[in-house]
Amino acid sequence: LHELYLPAFKNIIQTSAPAAVMTSYNKLNGVYCNESPKLITQILREEWGFKGIVVSDWGGIYDRVQSVRAGTDVEMPACAMSTEILVQAYKRGEISGEYIEACANRLKSAAARPRPAQTPYNAAEHAEFAYAAACESEVLLKNNGVLPLKEGSRVAVFGAAATDAPVQGGGSSHLAGMGGSNILAELKKVFTVTGYSKSYKKFGRHAKKIIGSADAVIVCLAMYEGDTEGQDKTFVDLPKEQTELLSQLSKCGKKVVCLLSCGGAINTCWDRYSNALLYLGLSGQGTARAAADILCGKVNPSGRLAESFFVDINELPSTKYFGEAVYHTVYAEGLSVGYRYYKSQHVPAKYPFGYGLGYSNFIYGEPIADSKGVTFTVTNAGEVAGADIPQIYIEFPAGAHEPPRLAGFEKIFLNAGESRQVFIPFTPETFSVYNADSRKSVTVGGEYTIQVSKNSQNAVYSPKIIIEGDAGEVPADVLPASVPTAPRFVLTARGRVRAELLTPFGELKNSNALLTRLFVRIALFALRGDPMRVGTLRHSPVRTVAQFAGFDKTRTEGFIEILNGHYIKGLRLFLKGKTHKNLK
């Protein structure tokens, strides 16, 4: 928690003073995050000095009294029943008024916070910014000398992703009409397109015809499912039809260039069928234009991977436990997460964290390293201008029981033949490790290896320095046995699920009430084509369903009675209560 997950939040809080922080849905060590005084009060407010408000994720409150006591100021969306529950708890003496007043005062301060003046929206400027971001983000993973293709080259284009590439994630982040998904249109601006075959399943006379007159074949591959909220991605393989088409195209005797659109690391064993592979990720509005300009050499690619691509998914420590239980996740990796795992366990990654190719050759000079940082020279020994991202990793003394860690990086643009000195500084946190026994960060004294690297698995130089510390050793992390947290639903004597405020709605497919069983099963079936909505409905508690409907406490109680098959009693309560439409 202190070394992997909190540092990024701490940095933002202490350098940017944001107005608000959002809590997550899940429990951490058995306590819901929005009900955790340790996270919200002790760490966020007291240790880091956060002065803003804390807001729940949408439908992420389970007990409003406990969340107020922990310091969660705002429940989103507004919940009609929460005010009633909170007032009643105060009257019964279950919560002190000082907790409620503290939340109210923080909200008053937030309301009084000056807001920046609105600036006119310039669509053209935003489009250019998005294009520039995509140019610097797309990652060239493989290039057997075929890229860049000359402008005007004759190319045959394959795959539905050429005209409908995914360029963004789904769910709440999705923007309508973003654009940037028509790669074919942009390819036509820089190449001569001999033809286009949309289907991944057909490799017939048309395909052979457009390949015959082409200098190269461009294959657009994509993952269309899984990159959204409300569900876990349960697969890492491209659809079989896409890789089978690629295999056939690799036998045509032409250069084969693949463009890959997806939101994260996947199985890339099929890349053996390609001469070049450009990973587009989900790079937004500028995706298509940037991809075309990289392929033709107008842009020298400089993106680097923000995660490692695996050789075998079964090698990863999280695979063993993934999906083992619906309501409980076993966290057994410790600090061996991401590139730290690959480096500490000496497991080769297919494409490692920090990896990326370009059209230039960057050479690093002999570094000078000390406790303040690393100085070295970067030279562009290639024939075209471009950017490189040298990275610094450190290896700790054995007594730290710490995997290697990224200590810094810098993106540097150099013209052909140009050299520049780079200094990547260290901070007090660079050499610190968290001692779980004493619950504080310490520095273990001893010899550290400083790796000046192209990526997490390619160190160019590895000088050693001595760091004075305040500890000789830190105990190795010993992860306690992970104890499953019982889901919040109860069963009747007949083994059926009884609806309560925190019962996951999807569990009511096994309700004691026949009509409820039918309703939930029909709802889940009707939404089967939308995994995000199905996942949300299946795991959202009854409380969240009532919250989004705007039900007050009485109407919610009636709703629960109806779900349990007590129709007359439930209907009376339901009609007695109210729906606050303004809260939706």
Side-chain angles (χ1 to χ4, degrees):
L1 180 67
H2 286 272
E3 291 193 10
L4 298 180
Y5 303 106
L6 291 181
F9 291 95
K10 179 181 180 181
N11 178 61
I12 292 169
I13 297 301
Q14 296 186 337
T15 59
S16 301
V21 168
M22 180 180 284
T23 59
S24 61
Y25 289 105
N26 55 286
K27 288 181 177 179
L28 177 66
N29 297 329
V31 179
Y32 282 114
C33 291
N34 67 79
E35 298 175 11
S36 173
K38 179 179 180 180
L39 288 176
I40 298 171
T41 299
Q42 179 184 328
I43 295 176
L44 179 63
R45 298 194 192 280
E46 295 176 356
E47 294 183 16
W48 298 353
F50 178 64
K51 303 298 183 185
I53 61 172
V54 174
V55 56
S56 80
D57 207 335
W58 265 235
I61 293 288
Y62 309 98
D63 186 325
R64 188 61 181 124
V65 176
Q66 291 284 45
S67 70
V68 168
R69 188 177 285 114
T72 301
D73 304 304
V74 182
E75 177 176 11
M76 291 302 294
C79 183
M81 74 185 92
S82 285
T83 302
E84 299 174 68
I85 292 172
L86 192 58
V87 170
Q88 290 172 7
Y90 170 71
K91 290 180 177 179
R92 291 193 299 265
E94 295 174 1
I95 183 171
S96 169
E98 65 182 80
Y99 291 108
I100 300 173
E101 289 177 1
C103 288
N105 288 334
R106 286 190 290 264
L107 289 172
K108 287 169 64 178
S109 296
R113 181 176 173 135
R115 300 184 181 185
Q118 289 188 342
T119 56
Y121 169 63
N122 186 309
E125 287 182 3
H126 281 250
E128 284 302 311
F129 185 90
Y131 164 71
C135 288
E136 297 207 36
S137 302
E138 295 176 3
V139 186
L140 184 59
L141 295 180
K142 180 178 180 179
N143 185 19
N144 290 341
V146 303
L147 294 180
L149 299 170
K150 292 182 179 180
E151 283 194 59
S153 294
R154 298 175 64 82
V155 299
V157 183
F158 288 82
T163 54
D164 185 26
V167 299
Q168 58 177 322
S172 299
S173 68
H174 187 84
L175 299 177
M178 177 186 282
S181 62
N182 194 328
I183 296 171
L184 180 63
E186 296 297 332
L187 291 175
K188 288 180 177 179
K189 296 177 182 179
V190 293
F191 301 118
T192 300
V193 176
T194 60
Y196 169 52
S197 177
K198 181 176 182 178
S199 174
Y200 293 107
K201 296 181 179 180
K202 295 179 181 179
F203 185 78
R205 187 178 303 172
H206 174 65
K208 293 178 180 178
K209 179 180 178 181
I210 64 176
I211 289 172
S213 60
D215 302 313
V217 174
I218 296 176
V219 188
C220 297
L221 309 171
M223 290 279 242
Y224 284 99
E225 297 180 6
D227 295 313
T228 184
E229 63 179 342
Q231 63 169 333
D232 289 327
K233 183 184 288 185
T234 57
F235 51 89
V236 292
D237 293 317
L238 282 174
K240 189 176 181 180
E241 61 188 31
Q242 295 190 26
T243 56
E244 287 182 345
L245 173 64
L246 178 61
S247 174
Q248 290 179 304
L249 292 172
S250 69
K251 301 171 185 177
C252 68
K254 305 286 184 176
K255 304 170 187 176
V256 177
V257 178
C258 291
L259 304 184
L260 174 61
S261 299
C262 62
I266 64 170
N267 183 1
T268 54
C269 64
W270 42 263
D271 65 352
R272 64 185 181 276
Y273 299 127
S274 69
N275 300 107
L277 171 58
L278 180 63
Y279 174 52
L280 309 184
L282 299 176
S283 47
Q285 183 179 344
T287 296
R289 180 182 165 197
D293 286 353
I294 288 173
L295 294 188
C296 74
K298 283 184 178 180
V299 172
N300 189 345
S302 60
R304 300 292 183 265
L305 287 180
E307 63 181 322
S308 299
F309 278 48
F310 51 83
V311 175
D312 182 354
I313 191 70
N314 293 308
E315 292 177 339
L316 304 186
S318 58
T319 300
K320 178 180 178 181
Y321 300 103
F322 177 76
E324 192 174 62
V326 176
Y327 298 102
H328 177 238
T329 298
V330 176
Y331 182 81
E333 302 97 308
L335 293 170
S336 294
V337 174
Y339 71 85
R340 291 172 171 85
Y341 162 73
Y342 289 98
K343 288 180 73 66
S344 63
Q345 301 302 315
H346 307 290
V347 175
K350 178 66 176 289
Y351 296 115
F353 173 89
Y355 175 85
L357 303 174
Y359 302 146
S360 299
N361 178 28
F362 293 93
I363 298 175
Y364 300 168
E366 188 82 32
I368 299 173
D370 57 28
S371 61
K372 295 181 180 178
V374 185
T375 302
F376 56 100
T377 300
V378 179
T379 301
N380 183 350
E383 298 180 355
V384 294
D388 187 39
I389 307 180
Q391 301 151 45
I392 305 298
Y393 298 84
I394 59 172
E395 291 185 353
F396 290 74
H401 295 107
E402 185 83 6
R405 181 191 300 173
L406 176 68
F409 61 91
E410 184 167 333
K411 192 162 194 174
I412 178 172
F413 181 88
L414 297 171
N415 291 313
E418 183 182 5
S419 297
R420 191 178 306 168
Q421 191 175 80
V422 175
F423 174 67
I424 297 181
F426 295 146
T427 68
E429 289 76 24
T430 298
F431 304 102
S432 69
V433 296
Y434 190 80
N435 187 326
D437 288 351
S438 63
R439 297 188 177 182
K440 65 179 181 179
S441 294
V442 299
T443 299
V444 175
E447 184 179 77
Y448 287 74
T449 300
I450 310 300
Q451 297 182 343
V452 180
S453 304
K454 292 281 188 177
N455 55 68
S456 61
Q457 293 193 346
N458 185 7
V460 181
Y461 295 100
S462 300
K464 300 181 185 299
I465 63 174
I466 301 297
I467 297 294
E468 295 183 3
D470 48 24
E473 186 173 1
V474 169
D477 278 348
V478 179
L479 294 177
S482 187
V483 180
T485 302
R488 290 192 177 183
F489 60 91
V490 297
L491 302 179
T492 66
R494 298 174 56 192
R496 295 289 189 179
V497 176
R498 181 158 62 89
E500 293 188 329
L501 200 60
L502 296 180
T503 304
F505 196 75
E507 296 294 339
L508 295 179
K509 66 180 184 295
N510 296 316
S511 168
N512 190 55
L514 175 61
L515 291 180
T516 301
R517 291 202 303 273
L518 290 174
F519 171 74
V520 173
R521 293 184 183 194
I522 291 171
L524 293 173
F525 179 79
L527 294 173
R528 68 191 184 282
D530 190 334
M532 190 270 289
R533 291 180 183 271
V534 169
T536 301
L537 182 63
R538 179 179 291 127
H539 298 118
S540 293
V542 171
R543 182 189 192 280
T544 301
V545 176
Q547 176 180 8
F548 275 79
F551 296 167
D552 66 1
K553 185 171 179 291
T554 302
R555 183 154 285 190
T556 299
E557 291 170 352
F559 178 55
I560 292 173
E561 292 291 347
I562 292 171
L563 290 175
N564 284 321
H566 306 144
Y567 303 117
I568 297 177
K569 179 182 178 181
L571 187 59
R572 285 175 179 171
L573 285 170
F574 192 86
L575 294 175
K576 184 178 178 182
K578 297 179 180 179
T579 295
H580 296 263
K581 295 183 179 180
N582 61 314
L583 299 182
K584 290 184 180 180

